[in-house]
Amino acid sequence: MRRAAGDTAPAPVKRPKDRKARIALAGAELFCERGYHGVSVDEIAAAVGISGPAVYRHFPNKYAILVHATREVVGALLAATGQPTASSADGLLDELLRALAEVAVSRRRVAGLYQWEGRYLTPEHRQEFAASMATLVGRVAGPLRELRPELTVEQADLLVNAALSAFGSVTTYRAAGADTEHLLTRVAWTLLRTDAPAVPPRRRPAPDDAPATGPVRPASRRELLLIEAMRLFHRHGYHAVAVEDIGRAAGMQASSVYRYFPGKADLLAAAYYRATDRLTGATTAAIAEASDPADALHRVVRAYVDFAFGQSDLIAVYLAENNNLPDRDRHQLRGAQRLHVEEWVGLVRAVRPDLPAAEARVLVHAALNVVTDVGRLGRFDRTEGYDTQTARLALAVLHA
């Protein structure tokens, strides 16, 4: 059929120049929301408004999206801190911290990518990411050591990482804006001014197949399965571990595992309920033993640090694998997590009655994040009082 005179052909649809960036952003948001293995390429495509095959014009596979997204996150932080203008050390630090807070809040839906999804990177890409983060830490640690020459390189780096952890906590709650940026900047300044922990010496890590239970194994097989499952989930991620792996680590056949747990998801849920019960019990006991709200807050923080340092595999899985819980358990357990946060918020406001609840909640999330991140940096080593010093950092955040 001929086109009538005067008719014009429809304009061709142009592919957006930033489509690759849009795909990476959508992937990062979905990875943070539901976990890397819980997201398909087709779902990423749907979030962008394109077909699955269209994604492959930009990325060969889902892993390539993860790598690109991770680079984008750290790239935004490096770009924001690349050309500071202040001349004095304190002015430079303030400029850097404000820039980091702005990036954290503006990219809050993807900022958590650096913290948990990095385990799915290959060693090569993990090393690349670590090098970029070391560059970022160095940019802040330089003026910090100029301002505080008594700090060792390791102490300055640890304090900067604690500040970055506070910024990263913005991914754990919904409300965030300019006020949050100001508050997080204040928290970061508080951490950089706090006495730095003495970083424990590095020890040779245990091989991945080494049992986590030491020479004394639990008498209960169910207990042993839980311990080994948490160790493997922590080191490799939930989806990379099979029931056979858990059984092998516990010294039994996979068929024997099913006598205690119907499936791998049930093992994960059991660990979450255990962590929730222990945190609730420790928090309740700490408050009951306190003489006043300030003492209660101190005891609750210490109880959380003791739990994190004493059961680092369990706490890491507890914080990282929410998305892999069975639907029937996820809502109940997330509700328990919120109640734990609100218990802290109530204590903070009892100590600081003029502090709005929204600000107290930001401080609580930052303090919790600092405990786990700083603990991980020190390999949850209790020697030289590292746990006590970590608790002091968390308390400093709550009083920022």
Side-chain angles (χ1 to χ4, degrees):
M1 179 177 178
R2 292 184 178 180
R3 188 177 291 111
D7 284 357
T8 57
V13 177
K14 293 184 178 179
R15 186 182 303 165
K17 293 182 179 180
D18 65 343
R19 177 166 285 176
K20 184 172 185 176
R22 291 185 185 184
I23 294 170
L25 177 62
E29 290 178 350
L30 289 171
F31 295 154
C32 288
E33 179 184 343
R34 289 156 48 190
Y36 174 70
H37 287 286
V39 178
S40 69
V41 170
D42 285 341
E43 289 170 323
I44 296 172
V48 182
I50 60 177
S51 66
V55 172
Y56 294 108
R57 299 192 186 107
H58 302 276
F59 297 99
N61 49 44
K62 185 174 72 169
Y63 177 76
I65 299 175
L66 174 65
V67 172
H68 189 90
T70 307
R71 287 171 176 165
E72 286 285 301
V73 170
V74 72
L77 295 170
L78 289 172
T81 57
Q83 295 181 321
T85 58
S87 55
S88 65
D90 56 346
L92 182 56
L93 277 174
D94 194 61
E95 187 176 340
L96 291 170
L97 295 180
R98 290 179 186 276
L100 290 169
E102 182 180 359
V103 173
V105 171
S106 64
R107 295 184 174 236
R108 58 172 297 275
R109 295 184 64 184
V110 300
L113 197 64
Y114 85 95
Q115 194 172 30
W116 299 119
E117 299 307 322
R119 86 183 78 181
Y120 300 118
L121 296 174
T122 64
E124 174 190 359
H125 290 130
R126 203 155 42 227
Q127 185 175 8
E128 173 193 327
F129 179 73
S132 297
M133 289 300 295
T135 298
L136 178 64
V137 169
R139 287 180 181 177
V140 183
L144 175 60
R145 290 196 70 207
E146 184 179 343
L147 197 65
R148 299 186 59 187
E150 78 279 6
L151 295 176
T152 65
V153 172
E154 292 79 11
Q155 288 176 320
D157 286 354
L158 189 144
L159 289 180
V160 172
N161 274 291
L164 292 176
S165 177
F167 291 137
S169 69
V170 75
T171 65
T172 57
Y173 49 89
R174 294 182 180 179
D179 290 342
T180 306
E181 289 181 28
H182 298 320
L183 182 54
L184 289 176
T185 301
R186 191 172 82 207
V187 169
W189 261 119
T190 298
L191 287 166
L192 296 186
R193 290 176 174 137
T194 303
D195 290 340
V199 185
R202 289 195 173 273
R203 292 176 173 81
R204 185 185 297 276
D208 283 352
D209 58 352
T213 55
V216 180
R217 294 167 70 84
S220 164
R221 285 194 166 192
R222 187 178 190 279
E223 177 73 13
L224 179 60
L225 286 169
L226 278 171
I227 290 174
E228 294 298 346
M230 292 311 99
R231 179 179 66 87
L232 293 172
F233 291 161
H234 178 202
R235 294 190 179 184
H236 306 294
Y238 174 81
H239 286 276
V241 177
V243 170
E244 289 78 6
D245 299 323
I246 299 169
R248 188 181 308 113
M252 62 182 75
Q253 297 294 323
S255 57
S256 298
V257 176
Y258 294 111
R259 297 177 187 172
Y260 302 93
F261 299 95
K264 187 172 70 168
D266 300 280
L267 260 165
L268 182 64
Y272 266 78
Y273 283 114
R274 164 167 296 187
T276 298
D277 290 344
R278 290 183 178 178
L279 278 173
T280 300
T283 301
T284 301
I287 293 173
E289 295 168 359
S291 57
D292 55 47
D295 184 38
L297 185 61
H298 183 277
R299 288 175 180 269
V300 164
V301 170
R302 183 68 224 202
Y304 184 76
V305 170
D306 286 343
F307 179 76
F309 275 65
Q311 303 188 55
S312 57
D313 286 342
L314 179 57
I315 198 69
V317 172
Y318 179 76
L319 295 171
E321 300 291 358
N322 274 283
N323 299 311
N324 295 309
L325 286 166
D327 290 339
R328 64 181 183 274
D329 300 304
R330 187 181 300 114
H331 178 74
Q332 179 178 348
L333 287 164
R334 284 182 174 174
Q337 288 177 331
R338 285 192 292 270
L339 287 174
H340 182 241
V341 168
E342 290 307 310
E343 192 77 65
W344 281 48
V345 169
L347 289 173
V348 171
R349 296 194 71 208
V351 175
R352 304 177 60 185
D354 294 333
L355 189 70
E359 290 190 15
R361 201 165 289 113
V362 171
L363 296 181
V364 168
H365 282 290
L368 291 169
N369 222 42
V370 165
V371 169
T372 52
D373 282 352
V374 170
R376 186 164 54 245
L377 286 171
R379 298 162 299 283
F380 295 99
D381 192 333
R382 292 180 182 272
T383 62
E384 302 181 19
Y386 188 72
D387 50 345
T388 299
Q389 296 171 82
T390 300
R392 189 180 66 243
L393 288 177
L395 284 166
V397 170
L398 298 176
H399 287 90

